[in-house]
């Protein structure tokens, strides 16, 4: 709570929880209870003893750049604003890292000691707890959910080859084993193919049905199976590759091909095998490797590229496959698990420490440390050993300015103009103290100059009723 509050730039602090419905399932029903409810209730009981309200414990911040920053189940969570390009997504994701670093520095000044807090961009504490790196994609509701699940699942499992963050040891119901190295931090915690829960019995494809847009037209695909990456190349490829596969499903060009017999088992096999190699059992009895599956998907999306970003993704996809097949070490400048494995091997040889020593967990964690003086990733990026896609000046600007396109700049203009008159706000809805409520559409058809013009007009409005009039032509 104190860490989130320590971030100094102005923000709006009342999130519209009443507008959320995490129990709605995309398969056409609504569950009575989520496994995470018990944990929420336990936190609430504890918070009452500490005189916290639910909202105080969440410590919500809607930031100037259109992002959300809050306390989610006792860890800080940053959600980027809605982005219409891979470039913006990578930029605002990196801005989130800078924002959390700034909050850490502010909090350390309050408690009197630089380096007294440790914050890690990873997925496990090595004590059985896992927290996800969530991806969200807006899709037409006309696309059946089962078609999305079928078309996407083999890809989500096999993309671990390029997108894993790397992990020392294994975790499961039988405890923690320190020996060995695997590709993914999330693989140990994936337990189902489909499901609506996010904190227990975690699924490869999450079925939560909260579009944060016009529900009759859109669905939001919410994925929690990916690792939190340090390298920006992986963040770009994670979103770009997945977007192309989803495009093939939406456009009707996806044709059922190879499906894993047991996707959860295949996920763990890829993660735990040496460099992700090994044969995986398909539904039809054939065997296929993860790189062969990725090659199959690559051929599937060849005609889905509609812009320069997509063409860059396809080119990088081809290069990554070639490099991996020649020697996985060739991916060490782009892929966290390869870079991390290299560092651990070097450390073992230099210090004479045998594999399986518990110190390797500490080194694993240090790779993800957000402190640029302590984290093992940052020197690799600074000396050019890891690919960086963003410019530091652009990142600084993205911490305080929303993207140029879509809903974020317009929502930011509304919050800025009517701050004292707003009861609470979320991604798509703003509720005012006078009872007025405005649902913000996506504004996806507006050009940058049109967005700027609308934001300027919002800044001159008298009251919430005028806002409804100003937005009327876009509100469905």
């Amino acid at each position: 709570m104190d860490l989130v509050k320590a971030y100094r730039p102005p923000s709006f602090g009342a999130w519209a929880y009443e507008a959320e419905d995490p129990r709605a399932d995309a398969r056409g029903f609504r569950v009575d209870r989520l496994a995470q409810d018990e944990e929420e209730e336990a936190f609430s009981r504890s918070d009452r003893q500490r005189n916290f309200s639910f909202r105080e414990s969440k410590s919500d911040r809607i930031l100037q750049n259109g992002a959300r920053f809050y306390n989610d189940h006792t860890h800080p969570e940053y959600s980027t604003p809605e982005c219409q390009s891979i470039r913006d997504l990578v930029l605002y994701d990196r801005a989130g890292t800078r924002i959390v670093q700034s909050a850490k520095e502010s909090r350390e000044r309050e408690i009197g000691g630089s380096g007294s807090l440790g914050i890690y961009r990873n997925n496990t504490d090595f004590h059985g707890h896992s927290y996800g790196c969530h991806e969200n994609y807006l899709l037409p509701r006309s696309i059946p959910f089962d078609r999305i699940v079928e078309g996407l699942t083999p890809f989500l499992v096999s993309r671990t080859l390029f997108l894993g963050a790397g992990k020392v040891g294994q975790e499961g119901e039988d405890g923690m084993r320190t020996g060995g190295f695997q590709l993914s931090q999330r693989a140990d915690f994936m337990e189902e193919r489909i499901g609506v829960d996010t904190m227990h019995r975690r699924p490869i494809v999450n079925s939560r049905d909260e579009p944060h847009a016009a529900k009759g037209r859109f669905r939001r695909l919410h994925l929690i199976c990916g690792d939190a990456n340090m390298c920006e190349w992986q963040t770009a490829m994670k979103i770009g590759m997945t977007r192309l596969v989803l495009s093939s499903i939406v456009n009707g060009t996806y044709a059922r091909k190879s499906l894993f017999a047991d996707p959860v088992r295949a996920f763990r096999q890829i993660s735990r095998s040496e460099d992700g190699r090994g044969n995986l059992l398909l539904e039809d009895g054939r065997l296929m490797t993860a790189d062969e599956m990725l090659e199959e998907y690559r051929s599937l999306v060849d005609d889905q590229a509609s812009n320069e970003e997509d063409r860059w993704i396809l080119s990088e996809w081809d290069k990554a496959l070639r490099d991996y097949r020649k020697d996985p070490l060739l991916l060490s400048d782009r892929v966290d698990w390869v870079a991390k494995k290299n560092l651990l091997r070097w450390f073992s040889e230099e210090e004479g420490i045998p594999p399986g020593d518990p110190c390797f967990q500490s080194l694993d964690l240090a790779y993800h440390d957000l402190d640029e003086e302590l984290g093992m990733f940052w020197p690799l990026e600074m000396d050019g050993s890891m690919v960086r896609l963003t410019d530091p000046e652009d990142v600084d600007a993205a911490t305080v300015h929303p993207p140029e396109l879509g809903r974020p700049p317009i929502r930011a203009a509304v919050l800025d103009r009517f701050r004292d008159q707003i009861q609470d706000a979320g991604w798509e809805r703003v509720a005012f103290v006078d009872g007025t409520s405005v649902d913000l559409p996506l504004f996806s058809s507006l050009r940058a100059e049109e967005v700027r013009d609308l934001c300027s007009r919002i800044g001159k409005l008298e009251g919430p009723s005028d806002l409804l009039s100003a937005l009327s032509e876009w509100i469905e």
Side-chain angles (χ1 to χ4, degrees):
M1 290 166 55
D2 289 331
L3 174 78
V4 173
K5 293 173 183 176
Y7 185 60
R8 295 305 180 211
S11 63
F12 182 80
W15 188 259
Y17 283 97
E18 291 75 13
E20 297 188 344
D21 187 10
R23 299 181 187 182
D25 196 298
R27 291 169 289 182
F29 54 85
R30 188 175 184 277
V31 298
D32 294 331
R33 187 173 180 80
L34 296 171
Q36 68 196 53
D37 292 342
E38 293 183 14
E39 189 164 333
E40 286 277 14
E41 290 165 5
F43 284 143
S44 295
R45 287 193 297 271
S46 175
D47 291 345
R48 280 196 295 271
Q49 294 173 6
R50 300 174 186 151
N51 298 315
F52 301 155
S53 69
F54 172 80
R55 288 186 178 275
E56 286 173 325
S57 70
K58 288 293 187 183
S59 307
D60 284 291
R61 311 281 299 274
I62 303 177
L63 305 181
Q64 291 173 302
N65 70 347
R68 183 186 178 196
F69 185 35
Y70 69 113
N71 167 29
D72 182 59
H73 301 281
T74 69
H75 66 261
E77 181 160 310
Y78 168 88
S79 302
T80 70
E82 306 94 312
C83 296
Q84 295 191 17
S85 69
I86 297 168
R87 177 193 178 278
D88 276 355
L89 191 283
V90 175
L91 179 63
Y92 281 88
D93 183 66
R94 184 60 178 251
T97 295
R98 184 68 198 103
I99 284 166
V100 178
Q101 288 170 329
S102 177
K104 173 184 181 292
E105 292 160 6
S106 294
R107 182 59 184 149
E108 286 178 333
R109 285 193 293 269
E110 292 174 350
I111 60 179
S114 177
S116 55
L117 295 179
I119 303 182
Y120 306 90
R121 182 185 166 102
N122 77 334
N123 299 95
T124 178
D125 64 356
F126 297 104
H127 292 282
H129 302 109
S130 181
Y131 18 90
C133 174
H134 297 200
E135 306 160 56
N136 298 280
Y137 304 87
L138 195 69
L139 301 174
R141 187 162 288 275
S142 58
I143 306 302
F145 185 68
D146 58 356
R147 187 193 304 175
I148 296 168
V149 174
E150 179 183 280
L152 200 60
T153 302
F155 167 74
L156 293 177
V157 172
S158 55
R159 70 177 190 169
T160 305
L161 209 59
F162 296 160
L163 304 181
K167 178 181 177 179
V168 171
Q170 297 177 13
E171 290 176 89
E173 294 179 357
D174 54 348
M176 177 73 199
R177 292 184 289 281
T178 58
F181 183 86
Q182 57 178 314
L183 275 60
S184 169
Q185 296 203 342
R186 283 293 266 179
D188 286 343
F189 301 96
M190 293 296 107
E191 300 174 85
E192 295 184 343
R193 184 186 181 198
I194 312 169
V196 72
D197 265 308
T198 58
M199 293 178 62
H200 301 275
R201 299 205 60 79
R202 297 175 179 92
I204 295 172
V205 179
N206 187 252
S207 56
R208 179 180 293 181
D209 191 10
E210 283 185 301
H212 299 318
K215 190 165 187 176
R217 293 182 54 200
F218 300 104
R219 69 167 79 250
R220 175 178 61 113
L221 178 64
H222 179 231
L223 299 178
I224 64 171
C225 61
D227 285 6
N229 297 114
M230 297 297 290
C231 184
E232 293 180 349
W233 181 90
Q234 286 183 290
T235 301
M237 293 298 287
K238 179 190 301 178
I239 303 302
M241 293 166 66
T242 307
R243 183 174 73 174
L244 286 169
V245 174
L246 287 170
S247 293
S248 74
I249 297 171
V250 169
N251 295 335
T253 59
Y254 168 79
R256 174 172 175 163
K257 293 188 177 181
S258 306
L259 301 178
F260 290 123
D262 185 341
V264 172
R265 184 182 181 192
F267 204 146
R268 293 179 182 175
Q269 282 181 279
I270 293 171
S271 182
R272 295 174 182 180
S273 58
E274 182 68 24
D275 292 337
R277 303 188 189 279
N279 290 317
L280 308 164
L281 181 64
L282 301 181
E283 199 175 57
D284 61 8
R286 291 182 295 130
L287 297 175
M288 180 178 279
T289 61
D291 62 297
E292 289 171 339
M293 181 68 80
L294 284 175
E295 183 175 44
E296 186 172 286
Y297 271 97
R298 170 61 184 85
S299 64
L300 178 73
V301 302
D302 194 53
D303 60 350
Q304 295 303 309
S306 61
N307 55 49
E308 193 59 37
E309 282 193 337
D310 290 342
R311 288 186 282 275
W312 181 83
I313 292 293
L314 292 178
S315 175
E316 291 295 309
W317 194 333
D318 289 336
K319 186 174 186 296
L321 276 171
R322 289 195 304 270
D323 287 348
Y324 173 79
R325 286 169 170 171
K326 187 175 181 180
D327 183 353
L329 281 176
L330 294 173
L331 297 172
S332 63
D333 65 338
R334 287 158 280 167
V335 176
D336 286 328
W337 74 259
V338 183
K340 184 188 291 184
K341 189 175 182 180
N342 253 354
L343 285 172
L344 297 176
R345 183 187 296 117
W346 176 87
F347 188 86
S348 177
E349 292 171 355
E350 288 293 311
E351 301 297 329
I353 298 176
D357 191 287
C359 79
F360 285 107
Q361 280 184 10
S362 297
L363 292 171
D364 185 336
L365 200 59
Y367 184 87
H368 301 270
D369 195 328
L370 290 194
D371 190 320
E372 294 184 351
E373 298 296 321
L374 301 174
M376 292 171 58
F377 168 81
W378 304 113
L380 298 176
E381 186 185 68
M382 290 173 187
D383 71 11
S385 297
M386 293 293 282
V387 171
R388 179 167 187 180
L389 302 176
T390 61
D391 180 272
E393 291 184 1
D394 291 340
V395 172
D396 287 342
T399 63
V400 292
H401 299 294
E404 287 189 325
L405 296 174
R407 191 163 55 187
I410 296 168
R411 184 176 57 238
V414 172
L415 293 177
D416 185 59
R417 170 63 188 87
F418 299 107
R419 184 174 305 272
D420 296 336
Q421 302 176 56
I422 295 174
Q423 176 178 299
D424 55 36
W427 296 115
E428 63 174 320
R429 178 170 298 176
V430 179
F432 295 86
V433 293
D434 68 358
T436 303
S437 180
V438 178
D439 287 332
L440 301 175
L442 297 171
F443 301 103
S444 55
S445 64
L446 295 185
R447 299 187 302 273
E449 59 269 26
E450 293 174 314
V451 171
R452 288 193 294 270
D453 178 66
L454 180 55
C455 289
S456 177
R457 281 189 281 148
I458 289 171
K460 300 172 185 176
L461 297 177
E462 291 294 326
S465 59
D466 297 319
L467 178 63
L468 286 170
S469 300
L471 301 181
S472 60
E473 63 181 288
W474 294 282
I475 296 177
E476 301 174 357

